[in-house]
Amino acid sequence: MNRTHKIIAGCLVALATSVLLAHAHPFGDAGLAAPRQQGTILQHADVPAAVRTTLETKCADCHSMQPRPPLYARIAPVSWLVERDIVEGRKAMNLSQWDSYSADKQEELKAKILSETKLHKMPLPQYRFIHWSSTVTAPEIDAIASWARGSTASPDISTAGQPLMAADAVRGKLAFEKRCTGCHSLDENREGPHLRGVYGRASGSVPNFGYSAALRQARITWDDKTLEHWLAGPDEFVPGVDMDFHVAKPQERVDIVRFLKESAGK
Ligand code: HEC
Ligand code: HEC
């Protein structure tokens, strides 16, 4: 064999090995070799067509049972990385199983879809690098925002006509766990800042948390009244903030505020 033949033979062996190795799934099997499943994402959900298209074209590859893997995704080690993203992506949010999520979970995911796209954390950078048209555009983000905020719109700050029970920290803790822990924890910064001691604290003051400029400059002291307004609609209270989530039920808001107050030792 001359040199060129050796190189070609070497390449063929490497390719064959890679294709074989792609049958191994060190980071989980995303089922890419199986025929593409039929079905739609967000099954029966009431989603505006524009939002559905964005999610289908820019997110479904990792967040549904209908990925469209490119050819090179069949070759190890790329296949392993692609599979890892898909397996992890589906775990975080599977748009093919939307109907099976509780209403609360759907609300939380919608808020996260909005914040992940607004902050350009999603699609993942490695995906945008290859699918360069997959960056979510400003009009798309607007459409997602009105979808995500619309469903439980018109924050009811007035509490008009709704007889409230006395605020209760135990109920508040349950509501906190259900609604807030997707993004917050009491003691660690996650997508949102840590919340132990937030009651009585100045807004935007956790030193190592990356706040929006709007909240950093807001100069609010968190108390019953300001937290109530915040939870009813952060963006109405302080325009331009990064928390895309609100609590529609007045009772839940007062309970959560009481819980935050107690966990601050106040
Ligand atoms: C290349 C694969 C990939 C693409 C494409 C992708 N994601 Fe993700 N996504 C992931 C992975 C992996 C995770 C879990 C790890 C993480 O949060 O970074 C995730 C997590 C998420 C989460 C949950 C975050 C959390 O904190 O629970 C949301 C919401 C999300 N993605 C939305 C989107 C949206 C919206 C799009 C399309 C605009 C999108 N993703 C496109 C891979 C992807
Ligand atoms: C989808 C993610 C998300 C959810 C769900 C969420 N938050 Fe937030 N929260 C954030 C982000 C992000 C910020 C920072 C906002 C900014 O910098 O503009 C924040 C900020 C806050 C602040 C201001 C803290 C400070 O240091 O000034 C409070 C108070 C707060 N959240 C309470 C809550 C409560 C209570 C819940 C549950 C009812 C909740 N959040 C649910 C993402 C979320």
Side-chain angles (χ1 to χ4, degrees):
M1 277 206 285
N2 67 26
R3 209 186 135 104
T4 319
H5 284 146
K6 271 192 198 149
I7 291 174
I8 294 173
C11 290
L12 285 176
V13 169
L15 182 63
T17 314
S18 291
V19 171
L20 277 178
L21 280 176
H23 289 281
H25 306 283
F27 301 117
D29 186 356
L32 297 184
R36 200 163 165 229
Q37 285 188 26
Q38 293 301 310
T40 52
I41 62 163
L42 292 157
Q43 294 110 316
H44 299 101
D46 186 12
V47 187
V51 174
R52 191 178 280 276
T53 305
T54 306
L55 297 176
E56 260 164 17
T57 54
K58 301 186 173 177
C59 319
D61 277 350
C62 297
H63 287 291
S64 80
M65 306 310 282
Q66 282 91 33
R68 304 154 300 174
L71 260 189
Y72 60 78
R74 310 229 158 167
I75 296 171
V78 176
S79 67
W80 298 344
L81 300 179
V82 170
E83 282 197 305
R84 189 193 53 187
D85 287 345
I86 297 177
V87 168
E88 293 299 310
R90 282 179 190 159
K91 240 188 268 165
M93 173 178 77
N94 191 334
L95 296 171
S96 302
Q97 288 165 9
W98 190 259
D99 283 356
S100 71
Y101 294 135
S102 68
D104 287 337
K105 180 78 187 167
Q106 292 181 357
E107 287 309 313
E108 182 194 317
L109 286 174
K110 282 156 82 170
K112 284 191 165 184
I113 289 173
L114 177 55
S115 61
E116 299 283 317
T117 48
K118 213 167 70 177
L119 301 173
H120 292 293
K121 289 193 192 153
M122 288 285 154
L124 292 174
Q126 62 267 34
Y127 184 84
R128 267 179 282 155
F129 181 73
I130 298 162
H131 306 262
W132 47 267
S133 60
S134 69
T135 299
V136 183
T137 62
E140 285 179 315
I141 294 170
D142 287 346
I144 290 173
S146 46
W147 168 60
R149 292 182 184 141
S151 50
T152 48
S154 56
D156 178 9
I157 298 184
S158 67
T159 72
Q162 307 207 23
L164 289 194
M165 292 179 275
D168 180 82
V170 176
R171 270 199 316 263
K173 179 169 194 286
L174 292 177
F176 178 82
E177 278 159 6
K178 197 164 71 172
R179 304 224 175 259
C180 317
T181 52
C183 297
H184 290 280
S185 104
L186 281 179
D187 297 302
E188 267 168 57
N189 294 339
R190 299 180 53 194
E191 265 167 276
H194 76 85
L195 290 182
R196 189 184 300 286
V198 74
Y199 192 102
R201 188 164 89 194
S203 61
S205 64
V206 171
N208 47 355
F209 183 80
Y211 289 100
S212 64
L215 193 56
R216 240 184 298 117
Q217 289 156 13
R219 295 172 208 283
I220 297 161
T221 302
W222 294 122
D223 59 20
D224 286 321
K225 211 164 146 215
T226 51
L227 281 170
E228 159 73 17
H229 276 243
W230 175 261
L231 293 181
D235 207 51
E236 283 79 20
F237 188 39
V238 187
V241 292
D242 287 340
M243 178 163 140
D244 298 302
F245 190 79
H246 73 273
V247 180
K249 295 197 190 100
Q251 182 72 52
E252 261 187 354
R253 295 198 296 265
V254 296
D255 290 343
I256 291 172
V257 173
R258 176 56 58 91
F259 165 68
L260 290 174
K261 187 173 179 182
E262 284 201 2
S263 60
K266 310 248 158 145

